[in-house]
């Protein structure tokens, strides 16, 4: 019998060029998560937002994006993923102009919502198109590995780019830089990227749109509030509301023939496992970022731009880890590689658990090891989930994968952040309320007191923060070791390397495909 992987049509230069174009919207969407970090002081000075408005300037983008991912993935399957990508790119570019030219806080919040809506179309569209462009398992694995590395690197690059732009231009430039990139995308995508869509998608279930949003948004909001404020009635109530609507949404998808989320997606053994393991990886990634950014600025006393530049150091290792893991997965059982990625990430957490109040290089080493393991896991389980899903449902599959990432990230910040905060507040039980609340409050209290008293408050607060970070890091390491065992069990036999006998046929297919385009 012929191995299906060996007979799949191989991608050539045309597909790889199209893939390079698809990395552009991915970078912009991931950069937009962190691009506001340095712009806040300038925005505050010019637009004078209230505390609530400032919070929504940050969060409205993430909420709009996470709430619409499932809807946009299903819509792309129906109208075409390239068409949805072009619509999203247009919306993203126009919203960027609106944000860059905003004259009030309300206008900026509205523009950030539109940016989130545009981002919700771009993320699943790009990943679904990767699934369609690369039919061969090995090539698709390499492409998704690069995709995962670009997404992780874009988040780190966004804050640095923001700092550089603000040194030369006004705060609006951090948004306006998106416009020429989106114009380039609108010119190149119709030429280089073919259209893909579900040939028999069925009717679009409009009622599932508000149901999916009311299932996702309250949960994400509740988790963010737990990370910031602890277990308050409002945050717990939001979680309960979101879970209740989530139950209704799932029931609707299971009973309708025209369901927004097709039941055929869940027939592949690797799909649910891929979404779950990817969410655990996002849990670790965002949970660690919650502490490392504060450590660089509030413990080591770095400025925002200096901290952002130092945070780029682990990216050198991250850039190599995804392609290496993809190549390794072609020779070793994928379950072992993913389990090894989790163990590697747990080792990174363990190194962070040894960090003191003046341990820059140990922190960066731990962050680099952690991120390398996480990117290894995310690239391989994303490929597994997409590879086991039907090609005509690639948009829905990609949207569920991205929604899982949003949930995992929010949960990581909530759980590990709450653990670290509990230890911090316990260590500062006798301190002033503002200092005991957060490390930022302790820094403000220290500046107000001044002299030896202020220095003592700051020293105790930094030690308490590091103590909380250590507890959270060890908790994260334990979770990832458990995930390694789970991955080895769930993924056994999924995506095993093709036998050596299939390689000559694959090589012949590659030569034939190259001849087609030459």
């Amino acid at each position: 019998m012929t191995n299906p992987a060996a007979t799949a049509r191989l991608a050539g230069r045309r597909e790889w060029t199209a893939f390079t174009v698809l990395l552009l919207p991915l970078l912009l969407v991931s950069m937009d998560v962190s691009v506001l970090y340095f712009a806040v002081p300038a925005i505050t000075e010019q637009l004078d937002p209230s505390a609530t408005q400032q919070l929504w300037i940050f969060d409205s983008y993430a909420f709009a994006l996470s709430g619409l991912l499932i809807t946009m993935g299903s819509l792309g399957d129906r109208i075409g993923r390239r068409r949805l990508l072009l619509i999203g790119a247009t919306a993203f570019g126009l919203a960027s102009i609106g944000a860059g030219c905003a004259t009030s806080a309300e206008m900026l919040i509205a523009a950030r919502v539109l940016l989130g809506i545009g981002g919700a179309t771009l993320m699943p569209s790009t990943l679904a198109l990767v699934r369609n462009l690369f039919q061969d398992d090995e090539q698709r694995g390499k492409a998704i590995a690069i995709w995962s590395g670009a997404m992780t690197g874009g988040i780190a690059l966004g804050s640095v780019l923001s700092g550089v732009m603000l040194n030369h231009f006004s705060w609006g430039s951090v948004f306006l830089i998106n416009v020429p990139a989106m114009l380039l995308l609108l010119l190149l995508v119709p030429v280089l990227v073919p259209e893909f869509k579900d040939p028999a998608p069925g009717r679009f279930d409009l009622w599932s749109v508000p149901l999916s949003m009311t299932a996702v948004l309250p949960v994400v909001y509740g988790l963010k509030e737990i990370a910031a404020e602890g277990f308050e009635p409002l945050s717990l109530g939001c979680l309960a509301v979101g879970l209740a609507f989530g139950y209704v949404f799932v029931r609707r998808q299971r009973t309708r023939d025209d369901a927004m989320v097709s039941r055929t997606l869940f027939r592949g053994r690797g799909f649910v496992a891929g979404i779950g393991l990817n969410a655990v990886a996002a849990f670790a990634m965002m949970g660690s970022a919650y502490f490392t950014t504060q450590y660089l600025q509030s413990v080591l006393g770095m400025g925002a731009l200096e901290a952002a530049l130092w945070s780029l150091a682990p990216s050198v290792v991250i850039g190599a880890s995804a392609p290496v893991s993809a190549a390794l997965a072609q020779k070793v059982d994928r379950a072992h590689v993913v389990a090894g990625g989790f163990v590697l990430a747990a080792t990174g957490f363990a190194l962070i658990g040894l960090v003191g109040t003046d341990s820059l290089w140990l922190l960066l080493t731990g962050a680099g090891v952690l991120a390398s393991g996480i990117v290894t896991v995310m690239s391989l389980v994303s490929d597994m989930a997409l590879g086991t899903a039907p090609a005509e449902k690639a948009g829905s599959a990609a949207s569920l994968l991205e929604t899982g990432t949003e949930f995992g990230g929010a949960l990581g910040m909530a759980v590990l952040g709450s653990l670290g905060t509990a230890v911090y507040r316990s260590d500062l039980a006798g301190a002033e309320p503002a200092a005991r609340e957060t490390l930022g409050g302790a820094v403000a209290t220290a500046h107000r007191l001044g002299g030896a008293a202020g220095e003592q408050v700051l020293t105790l607060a930094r030690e308490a923060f590091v103590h909380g970070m250590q507890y959270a890091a060890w908790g994260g390491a334990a979770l990832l070791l458990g995930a390694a065992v789970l991955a080895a069990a769930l993924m056994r036999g999924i995506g095993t390397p093709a036998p050596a006998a299939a390689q000559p046929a694959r090589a012949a297919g590659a030569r034939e495909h190259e001849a087609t385009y030459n």
Side-chain angles (χ1 to χ4, degrees):
M1 294 180 66
T2 305
N3 190 328
T7 58
R9 185 177 65 82
L10 297 181
R13 286 192 295 270
R14 185 172 182 175
E15 284 83 1
W16 283 106
T17 303
F19 171 69
T20 304
V21 173
L22 291 177
L23 290 179
L24 185 59
L26 172 67
L27 279 171
L28 291 175
V29 172
S30 57
M31 283 167 53
D32 232 55
V33 173
S34 56
V35 77
L36 278 183
Y37 287 167
F38 296 152
V40 170
I43 292 173
T44 301
E45 181 180 350
Q46 184 170 336
L47 302 184
D48 192 26
S50 66
T52 302
Q53 288 175 330
Q54 183 170 305
L55 181 65
W56 279 107
I57 288 172
F58 268 100
D59 288 344
S60 56
Y61 174 80
F63 288 148
L65 187 146
S66 59
L68 286 169
L69 280 171
I70 294 176
T71 298
M72 293 305 180
S74 178
L75 186 62
D77 287 342
R78 286 165 167 77
I79 70 172
R81 288 139 206 168
R82 185 183 70 176
R83 179 181 297 178
L84 184 65
L85 177 65
L86 294 173
I87 294 171
T90 303
F92 202 86
L94 293 175
S96 296
I97 295 174
C101 301
T103 56
S104 66
E106 293 84 359
M107 184 176 176
L108 181 56
I109 292 169
R112 290 282 286 171
V113 170
L114 293 177
L115 280 169
I117 295 172
T121 67
L122 297 176
M123 292 290 279
S125 296
T126 55
L127 189 54
L129 286 168
V130 170
R131 166 68 175 88
N132 296 129
L133 286 171
F134 299 98
Q135 299 177 16
D136 177 73
D137 290 346
E138 182 177 344
Q139 289 187 323
R140 187 181 63 247
K142 291 178 180 177
I144 291 180
I146 297 170
W147 190 92
S148 300
M151 181 180 66
T152 306
I155 296 174
L157 187 61
S159 57
V160 176
L161 180 63
S162 172
V164 172
M165 294 294 293
L166 289 170
N167 281 340
H168 299 88
F169 307 101
S170 68
W171 63 265
S173 63
V174 302
F175 297 108
L176 295 177
I177 195 174
N178 295 333
V179 177
M182 285 301 166
L183 287 175
L184 182 63
L185 187 73
L186 291 172
L187 290 174
L188 294 178
V189 165
V191 177
L192 296 172
V193 180
E195 180 64 283
F196 297 96
K197 62 181 178 180
D198 188 345
R203 293 187 304 168
F204 186 70
D205 183 12
L206 286 174
W207 281 108
S208 286
V209 175
L211 271 179
S212 67
M213 293 182 68
T214 49
V216 172
L217 288 179
V219 173
V220 173
Y221 179 79
L223 292 173
K224 282 179 173 287
E225 285 297 298
I226 289 173
E229 306 293 339
F231 291 92
E232 299 291 335
L234 175 62
S235 56
L236 295 176
C238 287
L239 288 180
V241 169
L243 292 174
F245 276 103
Y247 174 77
V248 176
F249 177 75
V250 171
R251 283 292 302 271
R252 185 176 180 85
Q253 304 314 297
R254 295 180 63 181
T255 56
R256 292 184 64 88
D257 293 333
D258 60 345
M260 178 180 289
V261 179
S262 173
R263 293 184 292 276
T264 59
L265 289 171
F266 300 91
R267 293 173 185 168
R269 187 162 66 93
F271 185 72
V272 176
I275 290 177
L277 294 173
N278 190 66
V280 174
F283 177 103
M285 180 175 66
M286 296 305 296
S288 63
Y290 177 86
F291 292 98
T292 53
T293 53
Q294 291 187 72
Y295 182 91
L296 292 174
Q297 294 186 66
S298 298
V299 176
L300 297 183
M302 292 183 181
L305 181 56
E306 183 185 5
L309 290 170
W310 276 111
S311 68
L312 281 180
S315 301
V316 177
V317 185
I318 296 170
S321 60
V324 169
S325 64
L328 188 60
Q330 297 301 318
K331 301 176 181 178
V332 182
D333 192 332
R334 188 191 301 252
H336 297 154
V337 183
V338 172
F342 275 123
V343 172
L344 184 64
T347 303
F349 258 137
L351 291 174
I352 294 174
L354 300 175
V355 166
T357 55
D358 189 17
S359 306
L360 173 62
W361 287 106
L362 182 58
L363 176 80
L364 293 178
T365 302
V369 173
L370 171 66
S372 296
I374 292 304
V375 170
T376 294
V377 171
M378 296 183 82
S379 62
L380 292 179
V381 299
S382 297
D383 178 43
M384 179 183 71
L386 289 174
T388 56
E392 66 272 13
K393 302 296 183 183
S396 295
S399 67
L400 288 173
L401 198 63
E402 292 297 330
T403 302
T405 300
E406 293 291 329
F407 276 133
L411 189 62
M413 293 181 67
V415 173
L416 296 185
S418 297
L419 177 58
T421 299
V423 175
Y424 173 85
R425 291 174 178 172
S426 176
D427 287 358
L428 293 181
E432 292 189 20
R436 186 172 177 268
E437 191 68 21
T438 63
L439 180 57
V443 171
T445 301
H447 289 163
R448 177 174 55 81
L449 294 175
E455 189 62 32
Q456 182 181 14
V457 169
L458 192 57
T459 299
L460 291 174
R462 286 171 172 169
E463 291 174 350
F465 177 84
V466 170
H467 191 203
M469 183 175 73
Q470 291 169 346
Y471 268 82
W474 288 111
L479 173 71
L480 293 183
L481 289 176
V485 176
L486 187 64
L490 292 177
M491 296 181 59
R492 184 176 298 136
I494 301 177
T496 52
Q503 298 305 317
R506 187 178 184 281
R511 289 193 296 270
E512 180 182 349
H513 186 274
E514 286 299 317
T516 302
Y517 284 102
N518 283 339

